[in-house]
Amino acid sequence: NAGVMQNPRHLVRRRGQEARLRCSPMKGHSHVYWYRQLPEEGLKFMVYLQKENIIDESGMPKERFSAEFPKEGPSILRIQQVVRGDSAAYFCASSPRTSGPNTEAFFGQGTRLTVV
Amino acid sequence: KQEVTQIPAALSVPEGENLVLNCSFTDSAIYNLQWFRQDPGKGLTSLLLIQSSQREQTSGRLNASLDKSSGRSTLYIAASQPGDSATYLCAHPGGGANNLFFGTGTRLTVIP
């Protein structure tokens, strides 16, 4: 049973380009969470999705950032017109279908985005 | 506002020492508290999860305690090894339980 898979592991984009980060949850997990870790800072929640639904996007920047979790395929975090301040590690976590507050979340290895 | 604090930010100990990492939180109604390990440039590995009804959890050389009333959790590492060197993060679910609030971590270095 593979863990949470994120790709790419490293991504370099020039300012103004688009970045697409992918996350495949663990088998049997239908809840996906995205977090961002800025240099020398802790992880901050961005968005929580279930299949085809955004449940909580309270941590998402208002512009340029979007997320989806389609019926088929991985969850995608999309950053349009990237700026240097978007350089960070982006982590995805997943939890089971019957998720609740006492459910353990499992994290992927992260995607390290560098904007040059 | 939810706050999770980890002090110290960095800690160096000689191999073989027992050590305690601290985590303080402001929400006394948390559902659980989870400890993670993060290696440089890597993802997070879950170490222990303590439910709100529990006082402690043990896994090998690791023991985590939880005191909701005082807003504190500790991670005790026995007989530390160089392979324990990593950043240790604590986190708990938010009020809506949709996300985890993380501390900024304690960077542990175990010196051979």
Side-chain angles (χ1 to χ4, degrees):
Chain A
N1 185 11
V4 179
M5 303 299 292
Q6 290 189 248
N7 67 82
R9 293 289 305 278
H10 301 274
L11 182 62
V12 179
R13 284 287 178 265
R14 295 186 183 278
R15 280 180 295 171
Q17 291 185 319
E18 178 179 289
R20 279 180 174 252
L21 289 63
R22 295 174 186 77
C23 170
S24 296
M26 286 180 70
K27 186 177 181 180
H29 288 193
S30 57
H31 299 242
V32 165
Y33 311 78
W34 285 93
Y35 291 80
R36 176 166 65 174
Q37 186 177 36
L38 293 167
E40 304 303 321
E41 293 188 18
L43 279 82
K44 295 289 193 292
F45 167 75
M46 299 181 75
V47 62
Y48 162 45
L49 309 103
Q50 295 177 22
K51 286 282 188 182
E52 300 184 279
N53 282 302
I54 297 175
I55 307 302
D56 181 352
E57 55 182 349
S58 57
M60 286 278 270
K62 293 290 184 266
E63 298 178 346
R64 303 186 297 108
F65 284 72
S66 63
E68 63 177 10
F69 190 14
K71 187 177 180 181
E72 302 290 338
S75 174
I76 307 287
L77 179 68
R78 181 182 178 205
I79 311 172
Q80 295 178 291
Q81 299 175 320
V82 295
V83 300
R84 289 240 170 95
D86 296 332
S87 295
Y90 292 83
F91 291 95
C92 170
S94 73
S95 60
R97 182 183 304 278
T98 54
S99 183
N102 283 320
T103 304
E104 187 175 355
F106 296 86
F107 281 78
Q109 294 289 298
T111 293
R112 276 148 189 86
L113 172 66
T114 302
V115 179
V116 298
Chain B
K1 181 185 174 184
Q2 303 270 6
E3 288 190 12
V4 183
T5 305
Q6 292 185 252
I7 295 173
L11 178 66
S12 291
V13 300
E15 181 178 0
E17 256 195 28
N18 303 325
L19 61 101
V20 175
L21 305 179
N22 297 297
C23 173
S24 300
F25 48 91
T26 55
D27 185 357
S28 62
I30 61 171
Y31 292 106
N32 60 58
L33 188 129
Q34 198 166 356
W35 282 92
F36 294 88
R37 169 186 173 137
Q38 184 176 27
D39 292 279
K42 300 286 181 64
L44 277 70
T45 302
S46 178
L47 298 173
L48 289 163
L49 183 148
I50 314 175
Q51 304 289 359
S52 61
S53 58
Q54 298 174 317
R55 296 284 293 184
E56 62 179 70
Q57 277 280 1
T58 299
S59 176
R61 293 183 294 110
L62 304 180
N63 176 279
S65 69
L66 175 63
D67 184 345
K68 285 177 55 179
S69 61
S70 66
R72 296 179 63 184
S73 176
T74 61
L75 179 66
Y76 173 82
I77 302 177
S80 58
Q81 302 171 358
D84 295 331
S85 298
T87 297
Y88 290 81
L89 301 164
C90 64
H92 68 73
N98 290 332
N99 58 283
L100 292 172
F101 283 94
F102 281 86
T104 49
T106 294
R107 188 168 62 252
L108 173 66
T109 302
V110 180
I111 304 164

